[in-house]
Every structure is written in C-alpha cells, then in structure tokens.
Amino acid sequence: MPEKHSFEYAVVRIVPRVEREEFLNVGVILYCKRPVFLQAMITLNEERLRAFCATIDVEEIKAYLHAIDNISKGGPGAGPIGALDAGSRFRWLTATRSTIVQTSKVHAGLCTDPQQTLSQLHEELVM
C-alpha cells in the first residue's frame, strides 16, 4: 500500500471588488512537507474574469498570478521570498490579504501523490 502524506492547499481567487465578496477561482497551491512539494497550478479564464468586472486590468492580474507561480517554485527568480524554505513560502502565499488576488483558508488532507492531488483539486475547484 502506498504511503500517505499529509498536505495543505489553498485556492487562489480573484476578487475584483472586495466589498462585494464575489470571487473567481483561478488556481490551487499545494504544499506537502514530506516529500517536499510546493506547486501552484493556475488557469485564468479571461472571459469569465471580465464578466465579473469589465474594467479589471487583466495584465496586472496575470503578473500577480505569475508571481505566485514563481514563489511556489522558489529560487533566485522569485525574489527574497523565493529564498525561504517551501513551508515558509506556502505560509507567505496563503497569508490573509484584502486585495484583488487572494487565497482561501488553508485546507488539509492525505495523499499518495502530491502532483496528482494538485491536478485533481485544480480540475474540481477551478475548471
């Protein structure tokens, strides 16, 4: 029987008008301590986003989403946060923010394959 690993994940959301509390799920960030795994899977449906807010700056949103992806990968291209360990980067990415790009509360589970679990969560929650 394959070994099960605990994982945590959060859904990445676009909240065009924070005061309305409406959001569009655009991605998932999954962190698994053992094996070390931190990855974001993001899909931005621009048509749906514009339906929420016709005046939103899509290029700016893409830049923020790209930063989330870079930080989850870590390394020098991700700035000072990219130098942190995977757990610290996950905590930074999922910290509560009152901005247009937010994450859900962190949820936990068990999996045998973090990559497969990320893909499944992305399909269920974003697509």
Side-chain angles (χ1 to χ4, degrees):
M1 179 173 192
E3 182 181 358
K4 293 208 174 201
H5 308 283
S6 62
F7 71 90
E8 298 174 84
Y9 75 94
V11 180
V12 180
R13 302 172 168 166
I14 305 298
V15 186
R17 294 183 55 197
V18 177
E19 67 277 8
R20 288 179 60 167
E21 297 184 9
E22 297 173 333
F23 58 85
L24 175 65
N25 291 347
V26 296
V28 177
I29 306 167
L30 189 137
Y31 168 63
C32 192
K33 186 174 183 177
R34 298 218 190 319
V36 176
F37 180 92
L38 175 59
Q39 188 174 333
M41 187 174 284
I42 297 172
T43 303
L44 177 61
N45 182 325
E46 293 180 34
E47 185 177 329
R48 287 181 70 194
L49 180 58
R50 285 194 177 96
F52 269 83
C53 184
T55 60
I56 198 160
D57 184 344
V58 175
E59 294 307 312
E60 184 177 14
I61 297 298
K62 285 180 181 179
Y64 285 122
L65 296 176
H66 183 69
I68 288 171
D69 188 48
N70 278 345
I71 290 168
S72 71
K73 291 175 184 170
I81 303 300
L84 299 174
D85 64 87
S88 297
R89 291 194 321 272
F90 179 73
R91 300 284 172 248
W92 189 88
L93 286 168
T94 58
T96 302
R97 293 173 174 81
S98 181
T99 60
I100 291 175
V101 179
Q102 300 179 6
T103 59
S104 69
K105 292 181 180 179
V106 174
H107 305 280
L110 292 172
C111 70
T112 55
D113 181 346
Q115 182 66 54
Q116 180 183 357
T117 302
L118 175 61
S119 295
Q120 180 182 354
L121 288 168
H122 181 263
E123 184 66 30
E124 291 174 8
L125 301 171
V126 177
M127 304 306 289

